[in-house]
Amino acid sequence: MGRRRLSASSLPEAAGAIPDPFLPELRWPFGRLDALSQDELRESAYEIFFSACRSSSTPAGTRPSAAAGGRAAAPATAAAGGAKNMAVTSRLKRALGLRARKARPMAGAGGRPMPSAEIMRRQMGVSEQTDGRLRKTLVRCLVGPQMSKKVESLVLPLELLRHLKLSDFSDAGEHRAWQLRQLKVLEAGLVSHPSVPLDRGNPAASSLRQTIRSAELQTRPPDVRALSAVAMPLSWRSVDSCRWADGYPLNVHLYLSLLRAVFDARDETAVLDEVDELLELIRKTWNVLGLNRMVHDVCFTWLLFEKYVATGQVEPDLLRAVLTMLEQVSDDAEMQLDGLLMEPWHLRILAATLASMHSWAEDKLLDYHEAFGDQAAAAGSMDMENVVSLAVLAATMRGALVVDAAGGDLLSAGAGASSSSSAAEQVVERYIKSSVRRAFTRLHENGTAGKMDSMIVEVEEDPCETLMYVAAQTKELARVEKEVYSRVLRQWHPCPTAVAAATLHGCFGALLKRHVSRMACGLSSEAVRVLHAASKLDKSLLQMAAEDRPLHGRQTEIAAAMTSYDVDATILGLVKGWMDDRLTMGAECVRRARDSESWNPRSKAEPYAQSAVDLMKLAKVTVDELLEIQVPSSSCREELQQRLVDGIDHLVYQYALLLVASCGSKESYVPPLPPLTRCNQDSKLVQFWRRAAPPCQVGADSHLSGSGLSCGGVDIAKPRLVDQQQAVRPATSRGTQRLYVRLNTLHYLFAVLHSIDRALFTERHRRARSSPFDHARPALDAACHHVSELSACRLVFLDCAHVLHQALYQGEVSAARMRPALRVLKQSLAFLAGVLSERAQPLAVREVMKASVEAFLTVVLAGGSGRAFSRADYGAVAEDFASLKRLFRSFGVAEEAVEREAAQAEGVLALMAVSTEKLIDEFLKHYASAPTAPDDELPMALPPTTRRWSRSDANTVLRVLCYRDDEAASRFLKKAFDLPKRR
């Protein structure tokens, strides 16, 4: 489609001030000119442009050459004649891919086209009055003898100062400002930035500075002759040409002011359709400014880039044009380097321009997630593909140039500016890693941003919550990376997804490692759930890296470097550490129980020790939490469960040992046996004592030993007389009650262990494996038997001593029967049933039965000097023993158990009904068959006492004889053993 040229009214009379080129986003690559403002540079640039165009032999309507826009431009169709110079379309814009401008209304009746020079004037904001002054001055300069003189041979500021007077300006102020500008341009071109370096202390340069300073201080016009006298030698130091405006960076600043005119003043993102003609005219200034095509291409590339950035990066065509021009600059630089045509300052502006563009592109690409968002692959306000192309191309071009960073001097230059695939791959990989890390850091910061309250006080971060959020966002970030960014970056890198996945994997792995250390002391099912999420992310990222061009060398290297998080091992280690902490707490509970447990009931509802409650509560909580934890595999779960079972097993085993150790022993409560004596039937004192002395009662909690065990004799220590008809009180002491608490505690431990076993293992597992708690269960069993036996001995031999082995049959059988003792035992058993748990009662009652039977036999066989039995007493004794058996049957002891326990005792009691002669014969029979051979000499040795009372035991039969109130028995004992009589 053709494009109409600008009409006379399509541009404003003045385009306005040129925007500041020093954008904060860009590093200005061409150096600064502090002495000249942008407007002053623009006005001076137009004067050079006007002079170059008017003095040129080429007509204004000449077809522009390809050199005007570089090789990217082709000749544009033009009409003959200046006013009719009208291009249908811009070949340069078409070559660069620039969009067409919007149509403008034509001016005048016939829509008269505007000449290129007029467009340039308006674009640069030069008034018609200024343009007229320049035309008049140029005519004066080039008339007469100077007609053959070229404009590049003129020092234009001097010529303008020489020919323009005050009358050519509207007022003196404008004239004065114009004069000062010419002086500053003259100083900048000849002294401050000369193309040929000045010798230090150059007299002409010093004179020119002094002359300009004097002119600036004076109000009258400067002395042009004096200026010429010092300026002309400086401008003609080069024998071949006049050089006053071709020093860097002045020449580039002036040239950039001209090139900016190709941008539409009304649409900053558009290049004029007349750009071909304008560039052809601007090219005429190259001789004056000392430029060539490469410098032009660098400057034009920069302006396209600068305009793209300055207009908010909304026009991607500009950036694509920059890429096209950069490729041309690369070719130009390579050609000039090969031909050794490039001057050092050419290399400096090229290197600085590339550095600025590359720096801008890298700022975007080092965090492309932030710069481009999730729509980077689509055309939008930021075109990621073009920016990556720019960064890669600029980086590879810079790699071909080695410039001294300090002085800016060229050290070496490589031929060829095109990037190699390996260099581009390294550059893009660096962008991927940097951007992914920054994106990951942002999402982590976003995850913890909510941990601030309204007073901006940081609260403790929850690692589980943070990791859960970061894991989910990391997965989403990886998806966006794969579906959006990798599609763009794959042009330069073979496996960008693998690089991104590996980077995310490393970032999350470091975060995971840091947070795992904080989880160690507070492991929970939530923490393990988060670790499982991390495991899923781990597998997802590893798979993503493995699928991105598999078998490619770089992908294989990246995937091999990714080490799995091994979350299963982490979970296993954390659970073990957490479990060890809990077991350590359990060991502390056991230690506290050993040091401070009082064995008082926790409450009526929980009649067991507080230390056991603490220990088993810790065990149950630990088991419950372990069951909630998602252990990686069944084998790991079994390993952890067994580890916990072993730990609890050891703790309960230790607790059972300390519980037993705190009880004491049975021997502490069973009274010692008194020495064997023979009945003293003839003793009048004994007969009197039997008739006069009532049974005695010893305090329930007194610990009996030595002579304080028997009643009715002189060996009773401080007896307390009680009426036999007095109501019998319960006899369970505090110490016995604490033993009951221990029994309840043991069965409580049993119950909790059973519930833990049921929770951890199925029935099938329990059948397939050895019984859990294989140390604790036997220890608890043994402890239950020990404490039950101990509590029974204490109850019978200590708490009930006053009505049982101390009072029963004391003095006379008929006067001290079993009924009071049965009442006390019944009440004590009732108390026992009310205190002990149902599981503890059967064993405890059986042990009380055993102790009661033992106490009954002790009364009959070792009752001390206050007891003596005749054959006639057997009936009463047997009746009392039958009553004792009925008592225990009433408390739930099975008939078989009662009979089994009573069988041997009844056999012993039956000896009481045997005649003395038969007793002696039976004794001698058992004595002769004893393991130790009997001595034939008299007196014989007493058979050993084992307290295992039995009718076949010689010691048992001997004791029946000792307590037989019979003269024959007394004589036998005197003759055989020389036993003393009772006293």
Side-chain angles (χ1 to χ4, degrees):
M1 177 183 292
R3 292 287 181 266
R4 292 178 294 177
R5 301 180 60 123
L6 291 175
S7 65
S9 62
S10 62
L11 286 175
E13 182 63 28
I18 301 298
D20 185 1
F22 307 124
L23 297 172
E25 291 185 66
L26 299 178
R27 291 187 299 179
W28 179 253
F30 304 116
R32 293 180 179 270
L33 296 177
D34 296 330
L36 292 167
S37 67
Q38 289 297 308
D39 288 336
E40 290 175 331
L41 284 170
R42 174 176 50 82
E43 293 171 1
S44 298
Y46 184 76
E47 291 171 351
I48 295 174
F49 167 79
F50 185 88
S51 302
C53 291
R54 290 299 178 179
S55 64
S56 174
S57 58
T58 305
T62 300
R63 184 190 306 270
S65 68
R71 281 171 288 165
T77 304
K84 297 179 180 180
N85 185 8
M86 178 179 176
V88 176
T89 185
S90 168
R91 296 191 178 184
L92 175 62
K93 290 181 66 174
R94 187 163 52 188
L96 296 179
L98 296 172
R99 66 178 177 84
R101 291 166 58 244
K102 295 180 180 180
R104 303 278 188 184
M106 299 298 289
R112 178 175 59 86
M114 186 183 299
S116 299
E118 179 66 12
I119 294 173
M120 190 70 178
R121 179 185 71 79
R122 295 200 174 209
Q123 282 291 106
M124 296 193 70
V126 177
S127 65
E128 290 185 355
Q129 180 184 5
T130 301
D131 190 72
R133 284 199 303 264
L134 290 174
R135 186 179 297 107
K136 184 188 301 183
T137 302
L138 192 59
V139 170
R140 292 172 183 172
C141 293
L142 300 179
V143 296
Q146 303 184 69
M147 282 292 291
S148 60
K149 202 170 187 180
K150 296 181 179 181
V151 70
E152 56 264 24
S153 65
L154 299 176
V155 181
L156 188 57
L158 287 177
E159 297 299 329
L160 293 175
L161 288 171
R162 182 181 292 114
H163 292 95
L164 289 179
K165 309 301 180 185
L166 176 60
S167 58
D168 295 318
F169 294 87
S170 58
D171 55 53
E174 182 184 3
H175 180 235
R176 180 61 178 169
W178 177 84
Q179 285 180 332
L180 293 177
R181 176 172 61 80
Q182 300 299 336
L183 292 175
K184 287 194 284 186
V185 170
L186 195 62
E187 182 180 10
L190 295 177
V191 179
S192 300
H193 307 286
S195 59
V196 179
L198 291 170
D199 298 332
R200 179 173 296 183
N202 186 289
S206 300
S207 298
L208 180 61
R209 286 186 185 276
Q210 292 175 2
T211 302
I212 292 174
R213 295 288 87 75
S214 299
E216 290 175 346
L217 295 174
Q218 296 173 2
T219 56
R220 62 178 182 273
D223 186 350
V224 179
R225 288 186 178 182
L227 282 174
S228 298
V230 294
M232 293 307 292
L234 292 172
S235 62
W236 283 96
R237 286 185 300 129
S238 178
V239 296
D240 57 341
S241 61
C242 176
R243 311 183 69 174
W244 68 274
D246 58 348
Y248 176 80
L250 174 64
N251 56 352
V252 173
H253 278 259
L254 292 169
Y255 194 66
L256 290 173
S257 296
L258 295 174
L259 289 180
R260 287 194 181 94
V262 304
F263 290 98
D264 193 341
R266 294 183 176 180
D267 184 1
E268 292 183 318
T269 62
V271 174
L272 295 176
D273 292 341
E274 296 79 8
V275 62
D276 297 351
E277 292 88 340
L278 296 181
L279 289 179
E280 181 67 24
L281 295 177
I282 293 172
R283 181 180 182 277
K284 298 178 185 298
T285 64
W286 288 6
N287 289 336
V288 178
L289 298 175
L291 305 179
N292 58 15
R293 186 175 62 196
M294 193 211 76
V295 177
H296 160 80
D297 288 344
V298 172
C299 293
F300 190 63
T301 303
W302 170 259
L303 284 181
L304 290 170
F305 178 67
E306 179 190 65
K307 184 63 68 174
Y308 172 73
V309 176
T311 55
Q313 302 129 53
V314 297
E315 183 52 69
D317 291 350
L318 289 174
L319 190 55
R320 285 192 286 269
V322 170
L323 295 173
T324 304
M325 288 300 303
L326 265 186
E327 292 175 357
Q328 182 170 308
V329 169
S330 177
D331 294 340
D332 292 342
E334 185 175 351
M335 290 170 53
Q336 292 202 27
L337 285 169
D338 290 342
L340 301 178
L341 302 175
M342 187 179 291
E343 295 186 15
W345 70 271
H346 292 172
L347 284 171
R348 285 200 297 274
I349 67 168
L350 176 58
T353 303
L354 292 174
S356 182
M357 291 181 174
H358 185 253
S359 176
W360 176 87
E362 279 213 329
D363 286 344
K364 307 296 180 186
L365 296 174
L366 289 173
D367 194 2
Y368 55 73
H369 290 83
E370 179 74 9
F372 299 101
D374 293 350
Q375 303 300 323
S381 60
M382 302 286 281
D383 192 340
M384 181 178 176
E385 183 176 352
N386 290 332
V387 175
V388 177
S389 298
L390 175 64
V392 172
L393 183 55
T396 52
M397 290 176 66
R398 290 181 69 195
L401 304 174
V402 182
V403 179
D404 182 8
D409 296 330
L410 177 69
L411 299 180
S412 64
S418 61
S419 62
S420 66
S421 60
S422 60
E425 181 180 328
Q426 293 175 5
V427 169
V428 170
E429 186 162 323
R430 186 166 65 91
Y431 296 154
I432 296 173
K433 291 179 178 179
S434 172
S435 186
V436 166
R437 289 192 187 104
R438 295 185 185 187
F440 182 86
T441 300
R442 272 194 303 275
L443 68 88
H444 178 225
E445 291 173 350
N446 292 339
T448 57
K451 309 297 189 305
M452 306 289 289
D453 63 14
S454 58
M455 300 300 293
I456 318 297
V457 177
E458 187 173 359
V459 297
E460 185 65 22
E461 179 185 347
D462 180 5
C464 295
E465 180 182 348
T466 300
L467 271 184
M468 204 68 184
Y469 172 84
V470 175
Q473 293 301 312
T474 301
K475 188 174 182 180
E476 175 63 16
L477 183 61
R479 182 197 65 79
V480 171
E481 188 70 34
K482 178 180 179 180
E483 297 178 1
V484 178
Y485 299 113
S486 291
R487 295 180 180 179
V488 178
L489 300 173
R490 201 172 295 281
Q491 302 177 46
W492 297 274
H493 198 284
C495 44
T497 302
V499 175
T503 305
L504 283 173
H505 191 270
C507 291
F508 189 85
L511 182 66
L512 178 66
K513 184 177 180 181
R514 185 166 68 251
H515 283 241
V516 162
S517 64
R518 302 177 61 183
M519 290 179 183
C521 298
L523 184 67
S524 63
S525 58
E526 180 68 16
V528 176
R529 188 172 70 87
V530 171
L531 290 175
H532 281 293
S535 179
K536 293 179 181 178
L537 176 64
D538 176 34
K539 295 174 183 177
S540 175
L541 293 176
L542 289 173
Q543 182 179 3
M544 186 181 296
E547 292 176 350
D548 192 22
R549 286 194 71 183
L551 304 182
H552 186 277
R554 183 65 184 128
Q555 183 275 341
T556 304
E557 178 184 347
I558 293 171
M562 295 175 68
T563 304
S564 174
Y565 299 153
D566 197 5
V567 172
D568 291 355
T570 301
I571 293 176
L572 198 61
L574 284 175
V575 174
K576 287 181 178 179
W578 162 78
M579 196 180 294
D580 290 343
D581 290 341
R582 292 298 181 87
L583 293 176
T584 301
M585 295 169 61
E588 179 62 21
C589 288
V590 175
R591 187 196 64 78
R592 287 199 304 269
R594 183 187 67 239
D595 296 341
S596 59
E597 181 57 67
S598 62
W599 306 107
N600 288 319
R602 174 182 170 92
S603 66
K604 289 184 178 180
E606 296 180 328
Y608 24 79
Q610 178 67 48
S611 57
V613 174
D614 294 341
L615 177 62
M616 300 317 288
K617 181 178 181 181
L618 177 66
K620 287 192 293 184
V621 168
T622 305
V623 169
D624 292 341
E625 291 180 357
L626 177 62
L627 293 175
E628 292 179 2
I629 294 173
Q630 300 178 21
V631 179
S633 64
S634 59
S635 60
C636 290
R637 175 173 291 279
E638 290 181 2
E639 178 186 349
L640 291 173
Q641 289 176 350
Q642 188 59 49
R643 182 186 181 93
L644 181 56
V645 164
D646 291 343
I648 297 174
D649 182 48
H650 178 72
L651 292 175
V652 176
Y653 173 77
Q654 294 293 328
Y655 191 92
L657 292 184
L658 79 88
L659 184 147
V660 170
S662 67
C663 294
S665 62
K666 176 182 177 181
E667 289 72 19
S668 302
Y669 306 110
V670 176
L673 300 179
L676 290 175
T677 59
R678 52 194 174 92
C679 286
N680 187 5
Q681 188 179 18
D682 298 331
S683 174
K684 302 298 182 183
L685 178 63
V686 171
Q687 294 176 6
F688 172 77
W689 177 256
R690 288 180 178 176
R691 291 192 297 269
C696 68
Q697 182 179 15
V698 182
D701 274 332
S702 62
H703 196 284
L704 307 178
S705 62
S707 61
L709 288 175
S710 58
C711 299
V714 295
D715 55 346
I716 297 297
K718 299 180 180 179
R720 185 162 52 122
L721 300 179
V722 294
D723 186 358
Q724 253 190 324
Q725 304 302 319
Q726 182 179 345
V728 181
R729 60 181 177 82
T732 307
S733 65
R734 288 286 185 182
T736 306
Q737 293 179 34
R738 291 191 181 97
L739 290 175
Y740 291 165
V741 172
R742 288 175 173 85
L743 271 178
N744 283 335
T745 300
L746 290 170
H747 285 276
Y748 166 74
L749 295 174
F750 259 126
V752 176
L753 288 183
H754 181 71
S755 66
I756 290 175
D757 186 12
R758 303 284 295 184
L760 288 177
F761 304 104
T762 65
E763 186 65 30
R764 180 174 59 85
H765 285 160
R766 281 193 291 273
R767 288 197 304 267
R769 61 188 299 280
S770 61
S771 176
F773 310 113
D774 51 0
H775 290 87
R777 289 182 190 273
L780 291 177
D781 276 330
C784 284
H785 283 86
H786 176 79
V787 177
S788 296
E789 181 183 41
L790 198 64
S791 63
C793 288
R794 182 180 173 93
L795 175 67
V796 171
F797 289 105
L798 183 62
D799 299 344
C800 296
H802 61 290
V803 292
L804 196 54
H805 74 274
Q806 291 179 7
L808 182 64
Y809 307 143
Q810 190 69 248
E812 190 174 354
V813 171
S814 60
R817 295 286 297 274
M818 188 69 178
R819 182 172 294 178
L822 290 175
R823 286 201 300 269
V824 172
L825 281 175
K826 182 176 181 180
Q827 292 179 359
S828 297
L829 288 173
F831 181 81
L832 178 151
V835 172
L836 286 182
S837 64
E838 291 185 6
R839 294 186 182 89
Q841 289 178 28
L843 178 61
V845 173
R846 286 198 302 271
E847 290 298 328
V848 173
M849 180 180 68
K850 291 179 181 179
S852 299
V853 170
E854 183 178 357
F856 195 92
L857 291 178
T858 302
V859 168
V860 173
L861 301 176
S865 60
R867 293 181 175 91
F869 303 98
S870 65
R871 290 180 64 185
D873 292 332
Y874 169 73
V877 171
E879 182 182 344
D880 287 346
F881 190 75
S883 299
L884 183 64
K885 292 197 298 181
R886 287 195 297 273
L887 174 66
F888 287 103
R889 289 193 193 98
S890 67
F891 276 89
V893 182
E895 179 74 22
E896 297 80 3
V898 172
E899 294 301 328
R900 184 171 54 252
E901 186 63 34
Q904 191 147 333
E906 289 175 334
V908 172
L909 294 179
L911 292 174
M912 298 178 67
V914 177
S915 65
T916 303
E917 292 75 11
K918 289 185 178 180
L919 276 177
I920 295 172
D921 293 340
E922 190 165 345
F923 167 76
L924 293 175
K925 180 180 67 174
H926 296 311
Y927 185 80
S929 62
T932 57
D935 193 346
D936 292 337
E937 297 181 2
L938 296 176
M940 297 186 297
L942 291 173
T945 302
T946 62
R947 298 197 73 151
R948 297 187 183 94
W949 313 126
S950 170
R951 184 164 182 165
S952 60
D953 175 48
N955 185 271
T956 303
V957 179
L958 177 64
R959 288 180 176 275
V960 174
L961 287 171
C962 287
Y963 285 89
R964 174 65 61 91
D965 189 6
D966 183 85
E967 180 63 27
S970 178
R971 286 197 304 271
F972 172 76
L973 294 174
K974 171 65 177 174
K975 179 180 178 181
F977 299 101
D978 196 19
L979 291 181
K981 289 185 178 181
R982 298 179 184 176
R983 295 182 180 181

